[in-house]
Amino acid sequence: MSLKEWAIDPKEVTVTPGRVRFVLRNEGRRQHTFGIIGPGSSKDLTVISDNVRAGQSLNFEVDLPGEGTYTTICDIEGHRERGMEGRLIVRR
Ligand SMILES: [Cu+2]
């Protein structure tokens, strides 16, 4: 996943349920995070990566047991509103 001002790329990702490893790459100039919340409007799952510094990469592993559509965000103040938001679809 590429993180930068102001996007999470790709904006939409589909994975199968279970343990998923994301490789986060900060291709921007500020610190960013990668978070997953959902599914849907619930916040049953809320996981946020550590901060990723500009030019750095981070492996981020998450258990995604349930199918559904989750929201991906950068949780640094103001970043989501500026466009750092996407969708994660979990299905078999
Ligand atoms: Cu950010």
Side-chain angles (χ1 to χ4, degrees):
M1 306 295 297
S2 164
L3 309 172
K4 59 178 182 264
E5 303 83 39
W6 301 105
I8 296 174
D9 187 31
K11 191 172 178 67
E12 185 173 298
V13 164
T14 301
V15 299
T16 54
R19 193 148 184 91
V20 178
R21 183 173 68 128
F22 295 93
V23 179
L24 310 179
R25 285 177 293 120
N26 186 338
E27 298 181 331
R29 303 179 65 171
R30 306 187 186 199
Q31 292 193 61
H32 295 294
T33 66
F34 179 71
I36 300 170
I37 56 178
S41 57
S42 82
K43 291 188 174 166
D44 292 346
L45 176 75
T46 303
V47 290
I48 308 285
S49 76
D50 290 336
N51 282 10
V52 188
R53 293 169 181 264
Q56 302 269 294
S57 293
L58 184 70
N59 288 331
F60 182 56
E61 289 197 17
V62 185
D63 285 311
L64 297 166
E67 293 187 275
T69 299
Y70 297 75
T71 301
T72 56
I73 61 163
C74 171
D75 85 327
I76 293 176
E77 188 174 357
H79 290 200
R80 180 180 182 177
E81 292 74 10
R82 287 178 166 121
M84 296 192 73
E85 181 182 278
R87 294 206 307 167
L88 173 69
I89 297 163
V90 179
R91 68 170 173 236
R92 295 182 190 286

